[in-house]
Amino acid sequence: MIDLYYAPTPNGHKISLFLEESGLPYRLYRIDMSAGEQFKPEFLAISPNNKIPAIVDHQPVDGGAPISVFESGAILQYLAEKTGKFLSPELRERTLTLEWLTWQVAGFGPMLGQNHHFTQYAPQPVPYAIERFLQETRRLYGVLNRQLEKNAYIAGENYSIADIATYPWVAAHERQRIDLAEFPAVRNWFERVKSRPATQKAYALAQA
């Protein structure tokens, strides 16, 4: 049994996507960030960075005590290794998958997050910041588009944790002022992932 500490954000969706795809049983614990629940000591013990998502695995593969994992990229790799799903054991495909997972958590997500902040939430417009992060968002979509022109999925022909990590941020493309018609390979990939039953189940959680 996996306990998932969650909010319906792009990073939260990553883990619910994996869990729905893999069929692992899990319990969902919503964290109300607007109420500051992420700063409670009991959550800090699980997620030292005070952010969702985080998990507790009550049946780790070593048979020991429950283990907690924080940071979305680390959680995805942990769950992929636990289940043997969405991360190939073959050297080259595994390496490519981890490269693109790192690209998402180190670049695509943070830069799009800054885009969201300055275009949606900043208390006053900051034109320089808006322009900077809009340009970087477009550049990153171009990087992704070129990769998807060569492959059905981000790390090759198989759906992987690289796709699971990236999809929730692309799902917010309209908020980022991105028209997917300008990135046709991304648009085609997005529609394929969107149509997966597990994607639909994971996103239904946000409405529950």
Side-chain angles (χ1 to χ4, degrees), residues 122-154:
Q124 58 188 23
V126 183
Y128 171 78
I130 292 171
E131 181 63 20
R132 169 179 166 75
F133 290 112
L134 285 175
Q135 287 186 1
E136 182 63 2
T137 295
R138 290 184 58 80
R139 186 190 74 81
L140 289 164
Y141 269 88
V143 171
L144 182 59
N145 196 73
R146 289 190 294 274
Q147 181 65 7
L148 287 166
E149 286 175 340
K150 300 182 293 183
N151 303 291
Y153 295 101
I154 294 174

Side-chain angles (χ1 to χ4, degrees), residues 6 12 25 40 70 81 91 105-106 110 125 129 132 139 152 156 183 185 195 202:
Y6 164 94
K40 291 184 175 180
F70 76 106
E81 291 174 347
L91 174 64
V105 298
R132 169 179 166 75
R139 186 190 74 81
F183 303 97
S195 68

